[in-house]
Amino acid sequence: MASRFELKKSSNDKFVFNLLAGNGQVILTSELYDSRASALNGIESVRKNAPDDGRYGRLCAKDGSPYFTLKAGNGQIIGQSQRYKGEKARDAGIESVKANGPGALTDDQSA
């Protein structure tokens, strides 16, 4: 299975997308968007910014779990990862977004 963006409508009528790796695992979840068009722009922003290592924030949650964010050129967060058990796993997640994000197709399930 190829990597893909799944675009969905949330229960509060906002839009959210997930970037899924080829194995179906979610590797990045977007912020909530007010419109479908804005969410699609967010997907394009992931495609554009994913290869740039400088766009990733390598962070730790309050409980110490590592995670990452992906930011656009304007500094706005486009998406966030799950929490990982260690920094090595988090860094592998970043590499997965770099590899899968630019060429991932969009599966629009928001209708």
Side-chain angles (χ1 to χ4, degrees):
M1 178 186 282
S3 60
R4 68 187 188 282
F5 291 98
E6 281 188 351
L7 175 60
K8 296 182 178 184
K9 197 170 190 178
S10 68
S11 58
N12 61 354
D13 286 335
K14 301 217 181 240
F15 294 83
V16 63
F17 63 83
N18 289 308
L19 173 59
L20 282 69
N23 63 3
Q25 182 177 6
V26 174
I27 50 178
L28 187 77
T29 300
S30 76
E31 305 298 304
L32 289 173
Y33 292 92
D34 290 328
S35 71
R36 181 179 173 276
S38 295
L40 290 170
N41 286 338
I43 289 171
E44 286 306 314
S45 188
V46 171
R47 288 185 178 126
K48 177 182 174 186
N49 291 289
D52 185 346
D53 192 67
R55 300 275 191 238
Y56 293 88
R58 291 162 174 85
L59 307 163
C60 284
K62 290 181 181 179
D63 68 359
S65 301
Y67 70 100
F68 65 86
T69 58
L70 175 61
K71 294 183 180 182
N74 64 5
Q76 185 175 5
I77 293 174
I78 309 166
Q80 180 174 307
S81 72
Q82 64 184 18
R83 292 182 184 180
Y84 292 94
K85 293 186 190 266
E87 291 181 7
K88 187 175 179 181
R90 176 203 55 209
D91 293 346
I94 290 171
E95 292 305 314
S96 185
V97 173
K98 287 180 183 179
N100 290 292
L105 301 175
T106 302
D107 178 10
D108 188 347
Q109 301 176 6
S110 66

